[in-house]
Structure formats: C-alpha cells, structure tokens
Amino acid sequence: MMKLRNILLPAVLSLLGTAAFAQTGRAGIEIDYNAPKDYIVAGVDVEGSQYYGVQQIINLTGLQKGVVVTIPGEDISSMIERIWGQRLFEDVAMVVDSLSAGRDSVWLKICIKERPRVSRWTFSGVRSGEKKDLQERLNLRPGREYSDYIKTTSVDIIKRYYKEKGFQLCEVDVETQRDSVIKSAITVNFAVNRGQKVKIRDINFIGNEHVKDFKLARSMKKTKSNKIYNFFSSKKFNEKEYVNDKKTVVEAFNEAGYRDARLVRDSIYFVEPNRLGIDLQFEEGHKYYFRNITWTGNSVYPTETLNQILQIQKGDVYDRVTMNKRLFGGGKQTEYDISKLYRDNGYLFFQLTPVEMNIQNDSVDVEMRISEGKPATLNNIIINGNDLTSEKVVRRQVMTRPGYLFSQTDFERSIREIASLGQFDPEAITDPSKGYSIIPNQLNNTVDLIYNVTEKPSSQLELSGGWGGNTFVATAGVSFNNFSTQRFFDKSAWRPVPLGDAQNLSFRFQTNGQYYTALSASFMEPWLFGKKPTSLSLSGYYSKMTDSYLTIGILSTDKMYEVFGFNAGLGNRLKWPDNYFVLYNSLSWQTYRLTNWYNGYFMFNNGTSHNLSYTLSLSRNSTDQQIYPRQGSDFSFSLQLTPPYSLFRKHTFDAEGNRVDVASWKDVTYDNWTSQQRYKWIEYHKWKFSGAVYTKLIGDLVLMARAQFGYLGYYNRKWGYSPFEGFQVGGDGMTGYNTYGSEIIALRGYENYSLTPTVYSPYTGTTQYSGNVYDKFTVELRYPVILQPQSTIFVLGFLEGGNCWDDIRKFNPFQIKRAAGVGVRVFLPMIGLLGIDWGYGFDDKQNGGSQFHFLIGQQF
C-alpha cells in the first residue's frame, strides 16, 4: 500500500500542477502544454496566506528571482509536493500571474488554503487525572492546525493509553465545531468511550508435559489469569506486556533445562463479554544438562573463584536463566554474580559471553569468554534536580568520589542512601530510566555518574484537635526536616525559614486549657561539622497535667503531675561489621514532680524523682527507603542505664523515720522509707531490641516481619523496679495527649494499656500499672495504592501477638495475646503518617474483640 501511494502521489501532484497551469492568469495569458518552455522567474507572490509569512512559503518551493523553470514540468510538481508535505494546507495551486513582453520571463502566484486552527482541545468521557495524562502524551496546543494526520495519530495515542489500562474496546470520536468567537478557528473534542475493562479469565498452557502450569503462570509477570494465587495481581490485558511475557514463559522452560523449547502458537479470544481466554501451545524439546564449563580471558580472578560464584557442577540441569543471573545479575539482592565481582573492582568495561561449544546428546559444553578491559576511574559526579537542598547534603550521602575506582556496590548504596534521605522522591531516584545515568568513556577509562534527584516536601505542619483522657486536646506543631542553621543570618533564606541542609528543627505544643499542657522542642544535625557522618541531637520538653475537667466545669490544680526533661546525643556511622551500623550515645535528665496525684498511675502520688541516664544504642538499617520499604532490614539494640544509687547506700530508716547507718547496702531495708526518700533518684537498667525484615514477594507486594522485646531491670531487688520508664502494652500506641514516665507499646485488637499488669503499692494503697517486661511479634502483608511524592498510600493485613509482665521471672515468650486485622496508611508530606486499623483480639474477651485504632506520625 505504501509503494502504491509513493507512485500515485507524484503523479497526482503533477496533474494538479498541470491543471493549475491550465488556467489562465490575466486575460490573454495562455500556456501551450504540448510544448514545455523554459521561463525566467521574474517574481513570486502568495495568495491565501493568513498565519504563515509569504517568504516562508516561497522558501518551501526554492523559487527565487532569476531561476529558470520549465512550464509545465517536474520542477513545478516537486515544488507543490514540498508544500503539501508540510501538512499545513487544505489546497495548494501554482498559477502564472503574468508574462514579460518577450514572453521569456514569468511572474508566478502560489494559491493556498490554510487548514483551520484549533482554538481549544477538549476531552469528554475521561477522568480528570486521565485528562492530564492525555494532554501530556498528545502535546496539543491551542493555535495548532488541524489535519487528518493529527486526528488519526491523536486517536491512536488515546486508544493505546486506555489499552495499557485494560480498556481494549475503547472507542474515540473526534468532534469538530467552528469557533463562534475566533475567525477561521475550530474547537476539537475527543469523545472517549472507554467501555469496560477487558480482563483475562483463563490462560491455557498446551504441550508442557514436564513443566507445571503454575510455574509457567508465575513466569508471566504482567499477564495473569483469574486464579486464586493471582489475587494481588492485575488481570487486565496489556498487549505490550503480553509480548514480553511470551518471552519469559519460554524462559521458564529454559530454566528447567529445555533449551530448545519454543512457543508454537498463541491465540486470544473472548470467553465471555470483557473476559479473555489465552491459549499458549509449546514444544518442549529435550532436556539438557551441563557437562564441561571452561573460562578464557580471566587474569584478575582465578577460575576457582569464578566457579564458586557460578555454582554450577557437571551434571546439573542446563538452566540458562539461572546461569545468566549468576553471570550478569538480576537475581536476589543478596546473591553475588560474576559481573558485579568485576564491576566492584573498577572493571566497568568488563564483558562476558557464554558460548555453547559442543552439544552431544543431552549434554552441553559451555565456554565463558571474558574480556576484562581496564579499570574505570570515576571522573565527574553530577547531581541534578536539588533546587532546594544543598548539593553537599547529597554528596555526603553518596559513596562514589572522583578519582575512586568504579564500584557497583558503592553506586547502588549511593542510590539507597539518597532514597532514604527523606528530602527526595525515593521512587524517582531508584527508577533506572530517569533516576541516574552511568556514562562510560572507554577511550580514557573513566566514567561519569549522574544522580537525578526530585525534591519533595519534607517539612510538616500539624494543627489538629483530638479526644483523649475524656477531654478535647488541641495540638500545634511544626517540623522543618530540611532546616539550615548555616543560612540563619541570610535574610533571603527566610521563606518562611532557611532550608537546605537536612537538619531537623521541630516544635510542638499541646493543651486543653488547665488540665493538660505540653511543650517540646528538638534539633538534629545529621553531619556534625559537615565532614563525618556524626549526628548531634538535642531535645527539651515539659508537660503538666492537673485535675481540671473542662467537660464538667471543674477548674483545679490541687492534683498535678509535671515532667521536665532534656536529652543530648551523638551518633556515629561505623565501618565494622559494615557501614550500615550506627552507634548512638545519649545522656538524658528528667524530673518527675507529683502533687497529690491520682492512684493507679505510679507507685507514689507525692514527691519528686530525678532520672539521670545514659543510653547506648546499636542499630543497622539497610531498608531501601523510609516510607514504603520493599527490601532490607532494620535492627536496633539499646541499653539505658542510671547510676546504681542503692548499691552505694549504707543507711536506712527506722519506724520513727530516724536515719540508721548500716555496714553494707545489702543490709538496707526499704520498709520504713517514704516515697520521697526511696525514689528521689530512680535507678534501673533498660534493655530493648527491635528487628524488622522486609521481603519483596511479587511486584510491590511486601511482607514485613517484626519482633520486639523490652525489659526494665533493677540493680537491687530490695529497692525494686523503677516507678517510671516501664511499658504499657495494648491498643494503638497513642493517647490523646503525650505523657512521659512510661513507654506506650501498641498491640492492635485490644484496648489501650489493657495488657499491662498491675501491682499493689504500699505508698498509695492501690494497684498501678507495672509493665516491666514485654514482647511483641508482627507479620504484615503490605500493598501500595499510590506511590507519589505528594502522597503515599498502602493497605495492609496483619497478624500480631504479644504480652506484658510485671517481673522477668514470669516472662513466657509463648504466652502471647493474639490478634489479626487490616488497615491503611496515608503519608502526606505536610502532615506525616496517618492510619486506621481494624483488629480483632482473640485471647481477652473483656479487652479484646473488635477494635478500631487510629494513628498519627508513627508505625506499628
């Protein structure tokens, strides 16, 4: 058809040119078409031009004064064809306007009719988000000319867009209408009828005698049938992905040793309205096995080292897929491969080609041909897109430096560190198509690396009201997660505050009037002095609770509970065992002041306690990002210590309250001590462990498994457990207001603190919370709904269990309270993490059962 068009078009244009000259220009001008004649062009004019300049159109023909043309002839036909080829005009003709007196010079006129201009492009039958996507794909601007070519290509693009979404039967009508306001303009509307989504119901595999249907179905990444094991996968049919999946399904045969397997026939048909059936027929061929594997060209690493990584022995199934993964990568993140071995040591230009040397019966000999090349040195490290964040913030995260040898592991780690920074879109930086570029130069053995970051809002503003403790609590807070103290005195940087150095500055205030007030402030510098990954954190806080109840009109300060505190800490990234480890040291001071406080909270109601403690924390975080990690792990272990004051004491009190000296701390009894005497300086050692592992199952479906343990111990059994710093287990892990003195542990499916044991206190004559040991185990299945810089939304299902004890001697890790449920998480940069869960507690009829939990700014 294209050949026929190419033959007919010049012929038609030639006839059009001849027809044009068959007309006469001015009266008396006649052209003898049986006797072509050469003329000198004396001038050229254009008629009908409205949007294009006269000279612009003349330039398309190549005509100029003094040029000799043959009329009629091929010259004129080719000129008209060039104008037609611009697709800008509905009609084109060229006429002789006049001849010279000697009839050897000619004045020509180009007569055109321009295509209508489009004043407005509109869509109907589409959603707002789809409209934006279509506008970007079509790139149609007002004022553009309208043609059949634009109509056809636009309809094709729209149909392809909806076919990618599963609407295979999409129809598009193009409606044009004259614009009543703008002269010679039209409006164009694309009326879209998406129809219903076409989904796949059945995929039938034919001819696979030795490879199971399930394995073939799993190998097709984007083409899924309506089977139960594809519950979390999309069933829509995408023609482009279907072509790729036909290749991967053949690889499933190759993985089983059937190197000659091929797809003989495939057919797609409707089994019911909007439901497809797919038949795939294969020829398996024979099964093959590895025999001899040899290496050539390897001088850097011996054959034994390469064979250890390849892990293929003589007689193994001839699995080309696994072989290629161990040669070139593409397997699990923890698996090493030959290519990465070389690239980690600078051999970026390394090449490896496996060649089948001999195939005899069912055995295959393979020769691995290596071209090592020379090590590549890093040249330019380029960072693009950091419009707000200082470049030094990104550069200190990357492990690639100019002058270093290229390392694939360091490059991948740099991508991970940027994604985990919190200032940039983690999905964008990890996208190979736009997040980064590797530009090698084999002539001088160097390589340039480009990191394309995408800024996202990171500061958070909190203005909220909530119900807690039978009262309404108002909260106002702000967190600047990209603060810059270096630009503090730069007036131009205050918009509204200086940003760009990835420091954190936050303030938070909560109150409901006289009943409750809390104020906190914190600052964190991730790179102290800017040269080493040593973090500095400072925080201070104050909270006060009274016995006022606004709901019933009681204003009183007879009962009061106050907490003052300050914390300073230093964190260092370690090099051993690996550089994922961080060692954190902190020193904190707290003062608890109780005045006639209520029973049931702490071991005493009146008095002041001081808490001076040192915390040592070791953590390792290798997750790929913060908000929705897909792989990696996050482990932490901490030990918090106070001085063992009771071990230094050599006095006690008698029944009348008189001080009595004793020989040793072992002789001290606390039966006659008042709460103020006993707990003025509290003492304890607090051990905590938390470990979470993230495993990517299928696509973005992630399994998260977490275990937690906490123990608040004592130095002296006679002194006993600390009245503060214990654990309260159960519920959502939140209250309507923040308090200090205990650690809130969420366990969904149960009411708040309901799993916390209570013990009798002689100082209050009542029982109070006494959670000194806890454990907790969680398994979550997560799936994202939206992963965008503006918002991240994912749904989850969970199984959870845990418990709390008042004494380490009662601890039983198998005596847990179980729960299960579902939930959703929404992360908004300006607000933080929001969530709602429904959980069902199975093991406590009074406090368990069906429970809804809300959360702000934390994860379970």
Side-chain angles (χ1 to χ4, degrees):
M1 189 67 185
M2 288 296 296
K3 291 182 178 179
L4 181 61
R5 177 186 171 193
N6 292 337
I7 294 172
L8 291 177
L9 183 59
V12 171
L13 292 173
S14 179
L15 290 174
L16 287 173
T18 303
F21 285 107
Q23 302 171 8
T24 60
R26 293 185 299 179
I29 301 176
E30 295 183 0
I31 303 295
D32 186 356
Y33 293 100
N34 293 322
K37 182 180 177 181
D38 292 341
Y39 294 91
I40 299 173
V41 177
V44 183
D45 195 10
V46 177
E47 182 180 276
S49 174
Q50 184 176 356
Y51 296 103
Y52 299 98
V54 171
Q55 192 59 45
Q56 183 181 3
I57 298 172
I58 295 175
N59 290 340
L60 293 174
T61 66
L63 288 172
Q64 58 183 350
K65 190 174 182 180
V67 172
V68 177
V69 296
T70 303
I71 301 177
E74 292 295 327
D75 292 342
I76 300 300
S77 298
S78 63
M79 294 175 191
I80 297 176
E81 184 178 352
R82 283 198 296 272
I83 299 176
W84 270 108
Q86 303 301 310
R87 298 193 181 100
L88 303 175
F89 309 103
E90 286 186 343
D91 190 18
V92 180
M94 189 176 293
V95 299
V96 174
D97 192 40
S98 62
L99 295 174
S100 64
R103 301 185 67 84
D104 57 350
S105 298
V106 63
W107 281 264
L108 299 175
K109 179 178 289 186
I110 304 171
C111 301
I112 60 172
K113 182 180 180 182
E114 295 182 345
R115 295 187 185 277
R117 296 299 178 113
V118 181
S119 60
R120 187 170 68 255
W121 304 88
T122 59
F123 299 88
S124 59
V126 304
R127 298 174 179 174
S128 58
E130 296 171 343
K131 178 181 178 181
K132 183 178 179 181
D133 292 340
L134 289 172
Q135 288 173 335
E136 291 177 354
R137 292 197 180 197
L138 294 172
N139 194 26
L140 296 174
R141 300 179 302 276
R144 186 173 180 178
E145 69 284 343
Y146 180 74
S147 65
D148 290 338
Y149 172 79
I150 292 177
K151 172 184 175 181
T152 304
T153 54
S154 299
V155 169
D156 183 57
I157 291 172
I158 294 172
K159 285 186 175 181
R160 283 205 309 269
Y161 171 78
Y162 280 104
K163 283 184 178 181
E164 291 174 3
K165 291 180 169 290
F167 298 96
Q168 301 295 322
L169 304 179
C170 174
E171 295 293 335
V172 182
D173 290 330
V174 183
E175 303 168 345
T176 61
Q177 186 177 357
R178 289 288 176 184
D179 194 310
S180 59
V181 178
I182 302 176
K183 184 180 180 181
S184 301
I186 61 173
T187 61
V188 178
N189 178 63
F190 296 101
V192 179
N193 181 12
R194 301 186 308 172
Q196 293 184 348
K197 272 191 176 182
V198 176
K199 297 185 178 181
I200 302 170
R201 195 186 74 176
D202 303 312
I203 300 179
N204 304 309
F205 302 103
I206 305 168
N208 54 312
E209 299 177 2
H210 300 94
V211 182
K212 294 183 179 180
D213 288 0
F214 178 73
K215 183 174 183 178
L216 298 178
R218 287 290 302 273
S219 68
M220 303 180 76
K221 303 302 181 183
K222 298 294 184 179
T223 308
K224 301 292 185 179
S225 64
N226 191 24
K227 299 288 187 182
I228 186 64
Y229 50 75
N230 293 325
F231 180 79
F232 291 101
S233 301
S234 173
K235 317 302 185 302
K236 69 181 181 182
F237 178 76
N238 187 311
E239 187 174 354
K240 182 179 179 181
E241 298 294 346
Y242 175 62
V243 174
N244 295 330
D245 282 339
K246 286 193 292 184
K247 299 177 182 177
T248 60
V249 75
V250 174
E251 290 179 355
F253 286 96
N254 300 152
E255 195 172 0
Y258 296 91
R259 67 178 293 276
D260 299 328
R262 65 189 186 94
L263 178 62
V264 179
R265 177 183 63 85
D266 70 292
S267 58
I268 305 171
Y269 51 90
F270 282 96
V271 293
E272 60 182 76
N274 304 315
R275 293 294 180 269
L276 292 177
I278 300 176
D279 291 343
L280 300 171
Q281 185 173 348
F282 302 93
E283 283 186 3
E284 285 186 336
H286 298 291
K287 190 172 185 177
Y288 291 84
Y289 301 86
F290 284 102
R291 189 167 62 180
N292 298 317
I293 298 178
T294 57
W295 300 82
T296 63
N298 55 307
S299 62
V300 178
Y301 297 101
T303 298
E304 293 76 14
T305 300
L306 302 180
N307 280 330
Q308 287 177 0
I309 297 176
L310 188 61
Q311 299 180 30
I312 295 177
Q313 305 296 326
K314 185 176 182 179
D316 288 352
V317 171
Y318 187 65
D319 178 359
R320 288 190 299 190
V321 176
T322 301
M323 178 185 71
N324 286 332
K325 287 180 180 179
R326 292 173 183 172
L327 292 176
F328 307 109
K332 295 181 179 179
Q333 187 185 29
T334 55
E335 292 180 345
Y336 216 51
D337 57 80
I338 303 296
S339 177
K340 195 170 186 179
L341 175 68
Y342 273 91
R343 290 164 71 96
D344 273 353
N345 287 276
Y347 291 90
L348 179 62
F349 307 111
F350 156 86
Q351 294 181 353
L352 189 155
T353 306
V355 180
E356 296 176 346
M357 298 299 294
N358 186 25
I359 301 174
Q360 186 175 0
N361 298 325
D362 63 349
S363 300
V364 181
D365 294 337
V366 181
E367 181 178 271
M368 306 295 181
R369 298 177 180 176
I370 294 178
S371 173
E372 294 177 333
K374 293 183 179 181
T377 303
L378 295 174
N379 185 24
N380 296 313
I381 309 299
I382 302 170
I383 298 169
N384 295 324
N386 54 315
D387 301 325
L388 177 63
T389 304
S390 174
E391 186 168 315
K392 68 178 182 181
V393 172
V394 186
R395 289 197 177 276
R396 68 193 185 193
Q397 295 298 121
V398 301
M399 308 224 169
T400 51
R401 301 282 193 275
Y404 286 17
L405 286 178
F406 175 82
S407 169
Q408 183 70 27
T409 297
D410 287 348
F411 175 69
E412 293 173 356
R413 175 68 184 277
S414 299
I415 296 294
R416 180 257 177 196
E417 290 297 322
I418 295 174
S420 301
L421 190 59
Q423 316 303 330
F424 308 108
D425 179 15
E427 300 298 324
I429 188 63
T430 55
D431 186 351
S433 64
K434 60 182 180 180
Y436 53 84
S437 300
I438 301 176
I439 306 176
N441 186 341
Q442 199 163 1
L443 294 177
N444 56 13
N445 298 311
T446 61
V447 58
D448 293 341
L449 300 181
I450 301 177
Y451 299 99
N452 299 312
V453 299
T454 303
E455 296 269 10
K456 72 171 187 178
S458 57
S459 298
Q460 298 174 7
L461 174 66
E462 181 182 4
L463 294 172
S464 64
W467 187 264
N470 298 319
T471 184
F472 179 82
V473 180
T475 302
V478 62
S479 177
F480 302 106
N481 297 321
N482 197 8
F483 191 72
S484 173
T485 55
Q486 188 174 1
R487 305 179 64 194
F488 191 84
F489 298 102
D490 182 0
K491 293 182 179 180
S492 63
W494 286 84
R495 295 179 299 179
V497 295
L499 300 174
D501 284 348
Q503 298 167 340
N504 178 276
L505 178 65
S506 63
F507 301 94
R508 197 167 190 264
F509 176 73
Q510 285 185 301
T511 187
N512 76 331
Q514 291 194 12
Y515 172 64
Y516 171 72
T517 301
L519 176 65
S520 64
S522 65
F523 173 79
M524 195 272 289
E525 164 58 74
W527 282 65
L528 189 61
F529 308 122
K531 294 183 178 181
K532 292 184 178 181
T534 299
S535 63
L536 169 68
S537 62
L538 303 170
S539 64
Y541 47 87
Y542 167 76
S543 70
K544 180 183 72 172
M545 297 176 63
T546 69
D547 59 343
S548 297
Y549 280 93
L550 300 183
T551 54
I552 56 177
I554 297 178
L555 297 176
S556 173
T557 56
D558 293 339
K559 300 179 184 296
M560 186 178 299
Y561 167 48
E562 294 177 284
V563 180
F564 308 83
F566 178 79
N567 180 280
L570 287 174
N572 293 277
R573 182 189 295 171
L574 305 181
K575 296 182 179 180
W576 185 89
D578 61 34
N579 55 13
Y580 287 106
F581 281 89
V582 174
L583 183 65
Y584 186 78
N585 301 267
S586 67
L587 188 66
S588 64
W589 162 76
Q590 287 176 311
T591 294
Y592 306 94
R593 184 181 298 163
L594 283 74
T595 305
N596 299 321
W597 194 239
Y598 293 99
N599 295 330
Y601 284 87
F602 305 107
M603 292 183 181
F604 63 95
N605 298 336
N606 277 285
T608 300
S609 289
H610 302 286
N611 178 8
L612 178 64
S613 65
Y614 166 74
T615 301
L616 178 69
S617 174
L618 181 66
S619 63
R620 184 184 188 275
N621 186 344
S622 63
T623 56
D624 56 347
Q625 56 173 281
Q626 292 180 341
I627 305 303
Y628 189 79
R630 296 178 176 84
Q631 55 192 8
S633 60
D634 186 4
F635 290 90
S636 67
F637 170 80
S638 67
L639 173 60
Q640 186 176 1
L641 303 166
T642 65
Y645 304 107
S646 66
L647 302 185
F648 303 137
R649 292 192 182 113
K650 293 184 179 181
H651 70 276
T652 186
F653 294 92
D654 59 20
E656 286 75 29
N658 299 314
R659 175 171 173 153
V660 179
D661 293 333
V662 295
S664 169
W665 63 269
K666 297 180 181 179
D667 301 322
V668 177
T669 60
Y670 292 91
D671 296 338
N672 298 322
W673 289 56
T674 65
S675 61
Q676 182 61 49
Q677 293 168 337
R678 184 173 182 175
Y679 298 124
K680 182 177 181 180
W681 291 95
I682 62 174
E683 61 179 52
Y684 59 87
H685 51 90
K686 189 175 185 179
W687 307 73
K688 292 196 298 181
F689 170 80
S690 176
V693 177
Y694 300 87
T695 304
K696 188 175 181 179
L697 299 179
I698 303 173
D700 288 326
L701 180 66
V702 174
L703 178 69
M704 187 278 291
R706 178 186 288 127
Q708 294 174 251
F709 171 80
Y711 168 54
L712 182 69
Y714 51 74
Y715 299 109
N716 183 348
R717 178 172 292 277
K718 291 182 179 180
W719 190 87
Y721 287 103
S722 168
F724 302 102
E725 299 303 320
F727 308 102
Q728 295 185 11
V729 179
D732 51 25
M734 299 174 58
T735 61
Y737 43 85
N738 289 334
T739 61
Y740 299 92
S742 58
E743 189 169 340
I744 311 300
I745 307 298
L747 207 157
R748 293 164 285 188
Y750 298 91
E751 293 185 3
N752 287 352
Y753 324 139
S754 61
L755 302 182
T756 309
T758 58
V759 298
Y760 175 80
S761 171
Y763 297 110
T764 63
T766 61
T767 60
Q768 67 282 317
Y769 289 126
S770 181
N772 298 315
V773 188
Y774 88 95
D775 64 3
K776 177 184 172 183
F777 308 95
T778 304
V779 176
E780 281 187 0
L781 201 60
R782 301 175 171 185
Y783 191 78
V785 178
I786 296 176
L787 293 175
Q788 298 291 338
Q790 297 81 10
S791 63
T792 297
I793 302 175
F794 62 90
V795 294
L796 59 89
F798 67 86
L799 298 174
E800 199 159 72
N803 209 343
C804 187
W805 298 266
D806 64 331
D807 195 290
I808 188 63
R809 293 171 295 183
K810 299 178 182 179
F811 173 66
N812 184 350
F814 303 104
Q815 186 184 22
I816 62 174
K817 306 295 185 181
R818 300 165 298 169
V822 295
V824 62
R825 298 289 182 272
V826 179
F827 179 82
L828 302 174
M830 285 297 294
I831 299 175
L833 189 68
L834 308 173
I836 181 173
D837 289 312
W838 172 83
Y840 190 89
F842 298 103
D843 298 315
D844 190 329
K845 294 183 179 180
Q846 182 177 357
N847 299 307
S850 178
Q851 302 281 341
F852 281 95
H853 305 285
F854 299 89
L855 66 102
I856 300 175
Q858 70 176 65
Q859 294 196 46
F860 287 96

